[in-house]
Amino acid sequence: MSLESLVEQLVRPEIRALSSYHVADASGMIKLDAMENPYVWDESLRKAWLDRLASVDVNRYPDPHAPAVTASLRKLMNVPQDLDILLGNGSDELIQLIIYALAKPGAVVMAPEPTFVMYRMISKFAGVEFAGVPLLSHFGLDMPGLVAEIHKRQPAVLFLAQPNNPTGIKYPADELEILARTMSGLLVIDEAYLPFTDGDALSFAERFDNVVIMRTLSKVGLAGLRLGLLIGRSQWLCEFDKLRLPYNINVLTQVSTVFALEHYEVFAAQAQALREERSRLHASLSAMPEIQVWASEANFLLLKTLSRPAQQVFEAIKAQGVLIKKLDGAHPLLADCLRVTVGTPAENAAFLSALAKALA
Ligand SMILES: *Cc1c(COP(=O)(O)O)cnc(C)c1O
């Protein structure tokens, strides 16, 4: 038997039908495609960090529970004592743990769409049915539609990105409240973009037995460390913890995270600067008649090209050395849409000039 037919015979057909997660090559480009913080650490911070890393013993396994990391996060985020924290190798891993734990035969995972693609992708990996419920055309929640789908499909879990990716829209708190009350399954409120907005949903995890809160350090400036967290009742978290591979948070990440959180004011100031830059970028884009842009509570803006296909504009911007994200084709509501991460003032200026040339 040929190698190809052996693989075909053994690998699950739905896996063979997938293509692996594509990350665009950004070498030499201005990178505004992945919601990264554009600022690098200054010399003194970098030196202090390297000094701290010098004492790490990489011959030893990391502490499987990373208690110093958990304690720093609890303090930073004011997590009350009656809620637990579970760490993941990025929140992507936490999404995986939740879905694997709930993946009974016939279980349904639900999310309003368009949204973060990992909810759908990981459901597929786990062999669980994913039900996407379309957002309204202005990207708000279709509350009657969503409530009806919840009653009909009885999802084991509903993922709600707050603010949402790729729209940047933050849903009203009373809508979250209705969803928490309507769901008999678990409601996961994914606050990946919390550093770029005001207020949070932590109190939902205290008030509702079926709500957990997911966060990450990726978007605030530590994407390379891969650290996400789930905040919620121990009854949920201890079940998800059983599926976690024992040493998921490596020793360099543990030490670096504790160090970075001691200097959190640096990241908080950068997030504030990015919010101001977001307003400026939004104003510039709003002034372009060929562009529709949405208000955003995250570190990116969603835009729609009105005068020519988004694909063409995307390619023209890329040819000028600026990489953004093309969303056209990802969901019917995203036709001719692009997403740009808010960068430094110079990067945003380069993007705006590339966009203006692409539209000329
Ligand atoms: C980027 C993003 C994440 C993934 O974060 P990691 O911690 O880097 O895995 C999770 N949720 C949403 C909505 C995101 O946009």
Side-chain angles (χ1 to χ4, degrees):
M1 189 187 284
S2 74
L3 176 55
E4 283 73 19
S5 13
L6 184 61
V7 169
E8 188 175 321
Q9 187 191 314
L10 291 177
V11 176
R12 284 154 56 197
E14 67 273 24
I15 303 301
R16 281 191 286 118
L18 290 173
S19 38
S20 44
Y21 191 77
H22 174 70
V23 178
D25 178 19
S27 38
M29 303 192 77
I30 294 178
K31 196 171 181 312
L32 300 177
D33 65 327
M35 282 78 91
E36 291 146 325
N37 175 333
Y39 296 105
V40 293
W41 295 10
D42 69 29
E43 194 133 350
S44 68
L45 199 60
R46 203 173 272 267
K47 170 137 197 337
W49 171 47
L50 293 178
D51 285 349
R52 189 78 63 90
L53 287 178
S55 63
V56 171
D57 292 323
V58 287
N59 56 316
R60 301 290 178 195
Y61 281 105
D63 187 308
H65 302 293
V69 176
T70 306
S72 319
L73 288 166
R74 184 179 287 284
K75 185 155 162 261
L76 175 76
M77 297 181 175
N78 284 316
V79 178
Q81 287 305 324
D82 58 343
L83 296 178
D84 271 8
I85 294 176
L86 177 67
L87 303 178
N89 191 310
S91 33
D92 289 350
E93 187 188 32
L94 295 166
I95 298 167
Q96 188 183 53
L97 297 181
I98 294 168
I99 293 176
Y100 278 19
L102 302 178
K104 287 188 194 169
V108 170
V109 175
M110 190 175 280
E113 280 190 314
T115 191
F116 188 47
V117 292
M118 289 316 260
Y119 310 142
R120 177 185 278 274
M121 281 176 58
I122 294 172
S123 300
K124 193 167 252 184
F125 301 163
V128 187
E129 189 183 345
F130 178 86
V133 180
L135 291 168
L136 298 172
S137 57
H138 61 273
F139 300 123
L141 290 172
D142 171 11
M143 287 304 288
L146 197 49
V147 166
E149 280 304 296
I150 292 170
H151 284 142
K152 190 168 123 205
R153 306 299 307 273
Q154 293 295 321
V157 55
L158 178 82
F159 286 96
L160 197 77
Q162 170 77 336
N164 191 23
N165 170 10
T167 64
I169 283 174
K170 193 169 171 180
Y171 306 119
D174 60 338
E175 294 185 350
L176 265 59
E177 175 120 14
I178 292 169
L179 293 177
R181 292 187 193 283
T182 306
M183 284 289 293
S184 51
L186 182 66
L187 172 63
V188 179
I189 303 177
D190 179 350
E191 296 189 316
Y193 298 96
L194 185 65
F196 309 100
T197 186
D198 296 321
D200 65 57
L202 193 56
S203 69
F204 278 81
E206 290 200 275
R207 290 168 49 224
F208 296 98
D209 282 347
N210 65 333
V211 175
V212 295
I213 305 293
M214 191 161 63
R215 293 182 182 172
T216 174
L217 297 181
S218 294
K219 311 293 155 66
V220 79
L222 301 169
L225 292 183
R226 308 302 299 128
L227 194 93
L229 63 151
L230 202 60
I231 307 171
R233 296 284 170 201
S234 60
Q235 288 89 338
W236 288 115
L237 269 47
C238 72
E239 297 299 330
F240 303 146
D241 190 43
K242 295 175 190 170
L243 284 166
R244 185 179 59 86
L245 297 179
Y247 304 110
N248 63 329
I249 312 298
N250 75 71
V251 68
L252 298 178
T253 295
Q254 292 192 24
V255 171
S256 303
T257 302
V258 171
F259 173 81
L261 296 185
E262 287 167 14
H263 301 275
Y264 194 76
E265 73 285 352
V266 174
F267 303 99
Q270 290 170 349
Q272 186 53 40
L274 290 167
R275 288 172 72 159
E276 286 158 23
E277 228 3 72
R278 173 180 71 198
S279 310
R280 277 191 288 275
L281 190 55
H282 184 271
S284 304
L285 290 166
S286 301
M288 299 174 116
E290 310 91 337
I291 294 292
Q292 179 180 1
V293 59
W294 280 263
S296 166
E297 289 290 314
N299 63 339
F300 57 82
L301 292 170
L302 177 71
L303 41 132
K304 185 172 183 149
T305 57
L306 305 174
S307 60
R308 50 187 81 198
Q311 169 76 32
Q312 191 186 325
V313 175
F314 170 78
E315 293 295 347
I317 292 172
K318 194 171 160 192
Q320 296 172 77
V322 181
L323 185 66
I324 63 169
K325 177 81 177 177
K326 179 176 74 77
L327 297 168
D328 181 83
H331 188 278
L333 288 170
L334 295 173
D336 281 325
C337 284
L338 301 168
R339 186 190 65 201
V340 60
T341 304
V342 180
T344 64
E347 289 174 332
N348 299 331
F351 161 69
L352 285 169
S353 131
L355 177 62
K357 284 201 188 107
L359 294 169

